[in-house]
Amino acid sequence: MKKLFNLQWLSVLLLALVLAGCGTAEDTKNKDVSEDKQKIEQTSYKVTDDRGVEIEFKEVPKTVVSLQPSNTEILFALGVGDKIVGATEYDTYPEAAQKIERVSDTVNYNSERILALKPDVVIAYTIGEKDALKPLEDAGIKVFVIQSAATFDDVYGDIEQIAAVMDVKDKGKALNDEIKAKITDVQTKVKEVKTPKNVYLEISPKPEIYTAGSGTFQQEILNAANVKNVFADLDGWKQVSEEDVIARNPDVILTTVNYTENPIGEILARDGWNTVTAIQNKAVQSLDTDISNRPGPRIGEAVELVAKAVYPELYK
């Protein structure tokens, strides 16, 4: 009986050890799962885009498609341009952006190619049809929408949002501080001008002449450079006649046109414009189109370009 009791006791002991072993393995497994979940919760984050949509990122995006040149410039300025795998035909700055595969003309995009690239996020914008981006979202791609900036504050906000998406918030703050410092430097110079010059900004030449009025990004650039827009009474981008320009008699004419052979020469040679002060003084200057028109990280440079063109004496 004693031998049988010992055998029974040994069996119970072995069973207990087996069960204990299973319990330990299961506990370890549950602990690992819990730690993994906790790790994901710690690394995941959410950012709200300009549609008001909160987008969750389990990890920092490794690949990005940018559908607007200004946002591409922001990504490069934040030091994450190497993550862009798809861009638009007009992404020309910096030079490295020109080597990125083209997936859009900024109005239409190649959804099939974007899907094939499998980006972790698409940085899009609000221009276009409301449901234009739906095919990408339906395919499970994260789409972060940025509203096209109309003011400097909008640009600063865009930089903050994109920095948050790419988990480089400190770099976003530093970039904004750098831009603001650049603008402040220019404003320190131009505040010496007691009587701001009258400026006409041409963004489209004859036969359909267009200029920028109040409520535009270009107007804020002109304001920061301490110049007076002769068409500030107009709202938005407006078509104007030659007679309108002649009547407003600008001191300086600035043009962002870069698709004609000689935009400055063409303006200087226009019939009937010989009474305009800017024409008489040959005060017609060309501005870099991309810098002047893109609401991105080079807005400080845009303000400086205008200041140098209108008040060259301040930069001698």
Side-chain angles (χ1 to χ4, degrees), residues 170-226:
D170 289 346
K171 289 184 178 180
K173 183 182 183 305
L175 178 58
N176 277 340
D177 289 344
E178 181 182 329
I179 295 169
K180 292 174 183 178
K182 178 75 169 179
I183 294 173
T184 298
D185 286 343
V186 176
Q187 290 179 319
T188 299
K189 282 183 177 293
V190 298
K191 74 178 181 180
E192 299 175 19
V193 178
K194 303 306 179 185
T195 305
K197 288 187 178 181
N198 294 318
V199 172
Y200 160 58
L201 175 64
E202 186 166 289
I203 58 177
S204 175
K206 291 177 62 177
E208 295 183 350
I209 300 176
Y210 274 83
T211 189
S214 295
T216 64
F217 185 72
Q218 286 74 18
Q219 178 65 60
E220 188 160 6
I221 292 173
L222 296 176
N223 288 342
N226 193 23

Side-chain angles (χ1 to χ4, degrees), residues 71-113:
N71 291 336
T72 297
E73 288 197 22
I74 289 173
L75 287 163
F76 271 99
L78 291 172
V80 292
D82 59 325
K83 295 186 177 184
I84 306 175
V85 294
T88 80
E89 293 176 6
Y90 299 98
D91 288 51
T92 55
Y93 185 87
E95 187 176 346
Q98 299 175 27
K99 300 175 183 178
I100 300 171
E101 181 177 344
R102 276 31 188 159
V103 295
S104 170
D105 60 6
T106 72
V107 176
N108 302 298
Y109 66 88
N110 186 335
S111 59
E112 291 184 3
R113 188 56 197 148

Side-chain angles (χ1 to χ4, degrees), residues 110-129:
N110 186 335
S111 59
E112 291 184 3
R113 188 56 197 148
I114 292 176
L115 292 174
L117 289 170
K118 298 179 180 178
D120 293 327
V121 65
V122 171
I123 307 291
Y125 63 106
T126 55
I127 295 177
E129 295 182 13

Side-chain angles (χ1 to χ4, degrees), residues 27 37 42 52 136 239 244:
D27 289 344
K37 183 178 180 182
Q42 288 176 345
L136 299 179
Q239 184 173 1
D244 290 333

